[in-house]
Amino acid sequence: MNRKRTLMPDAFRTKKRRFGADNLIGNPEHGDVQEGPPDVKATLQYLMTLFPRKLFNDSLPQIVLKHQLYSLHSDKTLVDKQVNELRDQGELLMFQLGFDSDTFALVFSVDYRAKVLAGEAGRATLGTVEKFLDKVLPCCSDLSFSKDKMLKQFLFTDAEITQLVKSGVLTVRDAGSWWLSIPNSGRFTKYFIQGRKAVLGMVKKSKYNEILKTDLEERRTTSHVKLHMKYHVHDIIGAELVECIQTTSGTLLRFVDT
Amino acid sequence: MLSFLIARQTGVDEPVRLRRAESTRRVLSLELNHDRDVECIHGNGINTIDIEVIEGRYMLSGGSDGVIVIYDLENNSKKPHYTCKAVCTVGRSSRYVHKFSVETVQWYPHDTGMFVSSSFDKTMKVWDTETLKPAEVFQFEGNVYCHHMSPIARKHGLIAVGTKDPKVQLCDLKSGSRIHILQGHRGEVLSVKWSPRYEHILATASTDSRVRVWDVRRASGSLFTLDQHNGDKSKASSESVNTAHDGRVNGLCFTDDGLYLLTAGTDDRMRLWNSATGENTLVNYGKVVNESRKGVKFTVSRGCSPEFVFVPCGSSVAMYGLHTGELVTMLRGHYNNVDCCEFHPDYQELYSGGKDCNILAWVPVLRHPDTEDEGADSRQLFSTFFTLWTALD
């Protein structure tokens, strides 16, 4: 089949597209690109299963990075739109993790609430945190809050804001403004960056700086890689740190030198 | 495609629909053609290409060696194999040639008797095409990164110039004066573009990560600054509030109808903006590799139904769908970095120039006659038409 023809949209196709061995219309479980309109919620739920809860003693909600969705769906704009819709409905929360201005973490609101309240149980700051979760999160889907907003719009006092920062729900951004954050997520960020570096190193060290995706997923992970290998693979593909090339033996990941 | 032809013939569809459908099909099948060549004159990289709007016949190119070449793109030989010959050049031997690299060239929008070139030798020269001598030389204090003349202007003859100086200068062709300046940027101005819809609207991009849109008739500052977060101050870190990109903004391009503006920045992102409101349409093109220290010259297709953006990415040209953001294809063929590309709207061809001193012509693939259609008798023909009629509903 002439490869050029696959680039033309339906209006110009003279023959029906033949489904060959390399056109796998798989479930997200197979890690292949989906056909048709992307179902972001289902993909999110699949990616959440890759998050290791045991590693953090169940104290963290399941975190997925926004760009991991791009590795499973080809149309980035539609994915962004659906994520924003879910955020507006209040089902999804987005966070800035702090190590890259472009990387966003996604957590289901239900999970977040459960874990934060569980972490706060028995502490003095429980009341303030509950108030914050009930008042602020349902109505405001911002990533950061300024002092003005906290004091005037949501009527928190300075002491309460300090309590929120102590509990980990807010992190300092700069003088007078705070990022919304996940309590105890520092370890996650550390393991994530470490693991990403290690996985990229594996790709780089391979011959010709490229490796088949299935091979990479089966490699024995060093002690530096604490999160699931598939989690990291989705991350490096989505962040375009490796180039995805379709071959007859499957997907090839080639390191992108920038 | 037959359905489009029949619909046009019977009047069911407007003529422009067939034209757009065929243009889009042609743009989707761009590839390097053995039969089309552009003569290799430049000894050093090619920085800029411009095709004149009136006939689409002559192409200007400016190189890193200061040389300017004019090519004739029309194929008058009866053979399919054709090399676009250089009609004339302003070579190193000319007395008036630029001393350093030519960064931008542009034909005078109303006829080919004149063209303007700007260069790193801190000058902008207005050339007479006939004699190849500069009719006017504008001197500046810093390297000139780019200039642009409005393609639709009737009431003014202003050339907007972006230099190392944060002030954007407007030079008047009719009077030769350059007193009009636009203040507001805090870094070098890497790209300037007039709107193809309103002759007084100008967009400028700078190393301070901001893109400003100006109305040159206004005495006070810019109309608005493009904000990548659309005013959502919470999303950004405090430094990147009100910026168009997280790095230097080095490429600007209006779509043909002037309704949208594309910007490219060194944060490896390309963004599509609504040019009337300055709103970020949030189309996600993914990582558009951009390491250029100076301006990136990219272009948008014209006359197609989903429009396409052609961006130089490393040593290939990437083609994205304008409103969907998906990567359609990468046009590979250059041996070194591609610096500029230009779309020829009449023939749906793309010309790209780069550091390998070549200008490559990307030509749509011709449709091959289908072997099944030969030998169809009249009854078969009738049934084909019948099914097409029903398909038109």
Side-chain angles (χ1 to χ4, degrees):
Chain A
M1 188 169 83
N2 185 5
R3 209 184 143 266
K4 279 275 180 257
R5 294 214 181 205
T6 60
L7 300 171
M8 296 190 218
D10 284 332
F12 308 115
R13 233 171 242 145
T14 48
K15 296 189 177 85
K16 283 255 188 306
R17 191 155 71 148
R18 290 193 193 110
F19 293 105
D22 46 281
N23 263 354
L24 295 162
I25 312 170
N27 320 340
E29 279 74 25
H30 292 179
D32 291 328
V33 178
Q34 268 192 338
E35 306 280 343
D39 184 7
V40 166
K41 195 155 179 204
T43 322
L44 274 174
Q45 277 159 349
Y46 160 64
L47 286 170
M48 297 271 180
T49 59
L50 293 175
F51 182 83
R53 293 166 60 173
K54 262 200 341 215
L55 185 62
F56 303 104
N57 295 331
D58 232 7
S59 62
L60 278 186
Q62 288 157 315
I63 306 174
V64 172
L65 295 151
K66 188 160 100 156
H67 57 257
Q68 285 175 325
L69 292 168
Y70 300 152
S71 72
L72 289 167
H73 293 287
S74 56
D75 193 342
K76 298 187 178 72
T77 318
L78 275 181
V79 168
D80 282 349
K81 245 186 2 203
Q82 287 205 7
V83 167
N84 285 336
E85 268 170 37
L86 286 172
R87 278 178 66 207
D88 288 333
Q89 284 165 9
E91 285 182 29
L92 203 59
L93 286 171
M94 195 154 96
F95 302 92
Q96 251 263 22
L97 287 178
F99 58 86
D100 192 1
S101 61
D102 234 347
T103 320
F104 298 106
L106 299 171
V107 182
F108 280 123
S109 323
V110 191
D111 285 342
Y112 182 72
R113 263 190 82 96
K115 291 288 189 263
V116 168
L117 288 175
E120 287 298 307
R123 277 206 228 160
T125 50
L126 179 64
T128 329
V129 171
E130 255 183 18
K131 187 171 156 200
F132 180 77
L133 288 177
D134 293 331
K135 260 178 94 172
V136 178
L137 286 189
C139 58
C140 182
S141 60
D142 281 347
L143 270 73
S144 77
F145 303 96
S146 69
K147 196 166 182 174
D148 237 4
K149 212 168 175 191
M150 292 293 278
L151 292 177
K152 301 209 175 109
Q153 201 177 346
F154 298 118
L155 303 171
F156 278 96
T157 61
D158 267 336
E160 287 180 325
I161 298 178
T162 320
Q163 284 189 332
L164 288 171
V165 173
K166 233 171 97 182
S167 68
V169 177
L170 291 180
T171 312
V172 163
R173 177 182 165 206
D174 72 45
S177 72
W178 299 272
W179 292 114
L180 185 67
S181 82
I182 308 166
N184 306 320
S185 62
R187 268 202 317 167
F188 165 74
T189 316
K190 185 171 112 182
Y191 291 159
F192 176 73
I193 299 177
Q194 236 179 10
R196 189 196 244 192
K197 218 164 119 190
V199 172
L200 278 178
M202 276 193 230
V203 180
K204 250 169 99 172
K205 270 198 236 148
S206 318
K207 199 171 181 196
Y208 307 123
N209 287 355
E210 58 191 19
I211 182 170
L212 282 175
K213 188 163 136 187
T214 40
D215 276 352
L216 184 64
E217 281 166 9
E218 278 160 25
R219 281 262 186 101
R220 229 170 5 125
T221 59
T222 61
S223 63
H224 287 293
V225 178
K226 297 205 170 61
L227 302 173
H228 200 287
M229 194 52 158
K230 280 199 178 173
Y231 192 84
H232 280 297
V233 169
H234 282 306
D235 162 53
I236 58 178
I237 298 177
E240 292 186 80
L241 295 166
V242 288
E243 211 184 309
C244 249
I245 301 161
Q246 295 297 334
T247 65
T248 44
S249 338
T251 319
L252 185 72
L253 303 176
R254 184 179 288 156
F255 183 71
V256 168
D257 220 1
T258 41
Chain B
M1 203 49 66
L2 272 178
S3 63
F4 283 108
L5 278 170
I6 295 167
R8 158 106 166 78
Q9 201 173 32
T10 53
V12 173
D13 270 345
E14 297 161 2
V16 76
R17 254 200 97 198
L18 170 64
R19 186 194 169 127
R20 253 189 279 148
E22 184 60 17
S23 304
T24 317
R25 191 203 69 82
R26 280 168 66 86
V27 169
L28 285 167
S29 64
L30 281 179
E31 74 175 16
L32 276 181
N33 200 329
H34 298 296
D35 294 329
R36 181 72 65 88
D37 232 343
V38 177
E39 197 181 345
C40 191
I41 303 277
H42 285 280
N44 223 317
I46 294 159
N47 284 332
T48 174
I49 298 180
D50 188 43
I51 301 178
E52 46 117 355
V53 234
I54 302 102
E55 266 187 311
R57 181 173 172 175
Y58 296 104
M59 180 166 79
L60 260 180
S61 75
S64 298
D65 45 4
V67 168
I68 301 172
V69 187
I70 301 177
Y71 301 90
D72 180 357
L73 298 177
E74 199 170 293
N75 186 357
N76 284 325
S77 72
K78 305 280 194 268
K79 297 180 268 192
H81 180 86
Y82 174 65
T83 308
C84 301
K85 289 255 174 281
V87 171
C88 51
T89 70
V90 177
R92 299 292 330 153
S93 53
S94 159
R95 235 174 58 177
Y96 310 102
V97 72
H98 280 288
K99 291 193 180 52
F100 297 126
S101 95
V102 174
E103 287 304 309
T104 320
V105 282
Q106 193 194 2
W107 285 106
Y108 182 57
H110 307 296
D111 64 62
T112 54
M114 191 162 77
F115 61 89
V116 185
S117 69
S118 62
S119 139
F120 270 179
D121 66 356
K122 307 184 190 176
T123 61
M124 181 168 77
K125 297 192 177 163
V126 181
W127 300 81
D128 176 347
T129 323
E130 226 25 62
T131 56
L132 284 185
K133 292 204 187 96
E136 178 76 60
V137 179
F138 293 95
Q139 195 73 33
F140 295 95
E141 273 100 44
N143 289 346
V144 183
Y145 283 109
C146 58
H147 74 264
H148 198 238
M149 266 183 285
S150 173
I152 47 164
R154 293 274 164 215
K155 297 209 186 85
H156 70 81
L158 293 172
I159 311 179
V161 187
T163 67
K164 224 165 172 168
D165 195 9
K167 297 197 275 268
V168 181
Q169 306 214 24
L170 296 174
C171 302
D172 190 356
L173 266 185
K174 290 184 192 161
S175 61
S177 74
R178 354 174 335 206
I179 42 177
H180 196 164
I181 53 173
L182 301 172
Q183 273 195 327
H185 278 298
R186 285 187 222 140
E188 305 172 350
V189 182
L190 293 178
S191 188
V192 290
K193 274 280 182 307
W194 291 92
S195 160
R197 200 175 173 88
Y198 303 110
E199 59 177 351
H200 295 287
I201 302 290
L202 172 70
T204 58
S206 153
T207 52
D208 64 357
S209 314
R210 285 183 175 74
V211 174
R212 285 182 191 269
V213 178
W214 313 78
D215 182 335
V216 294
R217 297 168 295 189
R218 248 165 84 123
S220 52
S222 54
L223 285 177
F224 49 83
T225 310
L226 297 181
D227 181 6
Q228 57 177 313
H229 303 291
N230 281 338
D232 186 8
K233 289 199 175 60
S234 70
K235 228 177 169 186
S237 57
S238 18
E239 309 90 51
S240 75
V241 167
N242 222 20
T243 56
H245 282 267
D246 290 323
R248 298 189 295 270
V249 190
N250 53 14
L252 275 182
C253 188
F254 274 97
T255 55
D256 194 37
D257 49 17
L259 294 173
Y260 292 99
L261 173 63
L262 273 164
T263 60
T266 51
D267 58 348
D268 290 344
R269 297 271 175 266
M270 191 161 67
R271 298 191 210 275
L272 183 71
W273 311 82
N274 181 329
S275 63
T277 58
E279 181 203 337
N280 185 353
T281 56
L282 295 175
V283 177
N284 193 334
Y285 296 96
K287 192 163 164 191
V288 180
V289 178
N290 187 341
E291 293 162 339
S292 177
R293 190 63 190 74
K294 343 175 258 199
V296 163
K297 294 176 175 48
F298 58 97
T299 183
V300 182
S301 69
R302 257 163 283 169
C304 304
S305 181
E307 297 285 8
F308 300 99
V309 190
F310 301 95
V311 190
C313 262
S315 60
S316 45
V317 180
M319 188 165 130
Y320 291 94
L322 184 70
H323 293 284
T324 58
E326 56 161 329
L327 176 66
V328 177
T329 181
M330 295 281 273
L331 301 172
R332 284 175 232 271
H334 278 280
Y335 298 123
N336 208 328
N337 282 348
V338 182
D339 284 323
C340 52
C341 52
E342 189 69 32
F343 187 73
H344 193 316
D346 298 331
Y347 299 118
Q348 290 85 42
E349 291 165 356
L350 184 74
Y351 291 89
S352 59
K355 284 202 176 61
D356 58 353
C357 319
N358 284 333
I359 298 181
L360 290 181
W362 306 85
V363 174
V365 175
L366 284 178
R367 209 203 293 269
H368 291 292
D370 282 326
T371 47
E372 305 137 24
D373 288 344
E374 288 163 23
D377 61 330
S378 55
R379 242 187 315 145
Q380 255 189 354
L381 220 54
F382 175 71
S383 61
T384 326
F385 274 61
F386 186 69
T387 48
L388 285 166
W389 268 111
T390 51
L392 280 175
D393 294 317

